Amino acid sequence: MHNLKEILNKIPATSIAVVGDICLDAYYFLTDEKSEVSLESGLKTNSVLTFKHEAGGAGNVAINLKKLGVTRVDIYGIVGSDVFGQIIREILTSSGVNCNKIQIQDANWSTHVFHKIYENGHEKPRYDIGNFNSADDMLVQSLLTDLKSGLPLYDAVIINEQVIYGCHTERFQK
C-alpha cells in the first residue's frame, strides 16, 4: 500500500504520450415518441431523445490519464478531415489533452466512429465508420518521427490498438 501512495503522489509530475487509434463514440438514445413516417422513403423514423459524443480508443485513454491528474498528455494518431475528426479534437482539447501531434488524413480515411444506439435500455447493433481506412505511409512516418523527437519529454508511452484498420500499419509496427 505504501508503494501505491508513492506512485499516486508522482502522477501530477508525469508526462505521458498516448499513441494509437483515436475514435469517437456516438451514443443515441431512442424513443417511440414523435416518430413519423418519412415522406421520402415511406419508412418509420426513429426519434432520438438524447445523444452524446465521447472519446473512444486512444482518446479515452488520454482523457482518463488527465482525470487521474497527469500533467502532460500528448496524443498521437490519425483522424479524418471530416466533422467527426473536429469533434474528437474538441473533446480532447477541452479535457486538457495536447492534440498537436494528431495527423489529419484527407483521402482514404474517415475518423473512426462507433454509433451506439440504445432503445428501451438495450443496445442495438452498432454502425461503425472507418472500417475501410488505409493509413498513408507518409503520415505514419510523420507520426513516428514526431514521437521519436518527443520521447525525451515523456515518462511513459502508452500504445493503444483499437481497430483493425487504424494507424498500426506494418510500417508502424516495424
Side-chain angles (χ1 to χ4, degrees):
M1 187 63 126
H2 176 69
N3 288 342
L4 178 61
K5 288 180 184 179
E6 187 177 308
I7 291 169
L8 292 174
N9 286 335
K10 291 180 181 178
I11 286 177
T14 305
S15 177
I16 298 177
V18 178
V19 184
D21 297 316
I22 301 170
C23 307
L24 180 68
D25 292 334
Y27 295 90
Y28 305 91
F29 300 92
L30 303 183
T31 180
D32 287 333
E33 293 179 42
K34 302 189 181 185
S35 293
E36 55 188 49
V37 175
S38 168
L39 294 175
E40 294 83 9
S41 68
L43 300 172
K44 179 184 171 284
T45 64
N46 293 304
S47 294
V48 177
L49 180 63
T50 60
F51 68 94
K52 65 181 178 176
H53 296 116
E54 293 182 356
N60 186 40
V61 172
I63 287 174
N64 285 336
L65 290 168
K66 288 302 290 183
K67 287 179 179 178
L68 285 171
V70 175
T71 301
R72 180 183 184 143
V73 178
D74 295 348
I75 191 164
Y76 294 76
I78 302 172
V79 298
S81 60
D82 49 51
V83 67
F84 299 117
Q86 293 172 356
I87 291 170
I88 190 63
R89 288 192 318 270
E90 288 172 9
I91 290 170
L92 292 166
T93 300
S94 69
S95 298
V97 175
N98 177 6
C99 296
N100 292 339
K101 303 302 181 183
I102 293 176
Q103 302 292 321
I104 300 171
Q105 184 169 324
D106 294 320
N108 301 316
W109 193 276
S110 297
T111 302
H112 291 280
V113 184
F114 305 130
H115 296 272
K116 300 177 179 187
I117 300 162
Y118 290 84
E119 186 172 32
N120 298 322
H122 300 288
E123 186 172 1
K124 299 176 77 65
R126 266 188 1 213
Y127 293 87
D128 294 352
I129 296 175
N131 290 344
F132 299 94
N133 286 344
S134 178
D136 180 275
D137 282 339
M138 297 297 286
L139 281 183
V140 170
Q141 187 57 52
S142 180
L143 186 146
L144 293 171
T145 299
D146 286 350
L147 178 61
K148 185 177 179 181
S149 67
L151 283 177
L153 302 172
Y154 305 119
D155 298 300
V157 175
I158 297 174
I159 298 175
N160 166 270
E161 184 175 10
Q162 189 74 27
V163 297
I164 295 171
Y165 302 103
C167 67
H168 298 279
T169 64
E170 191 174 314
R171 181 180 200 150
F172 177 94
Q173 292 173 18
K174 284 180 183 176

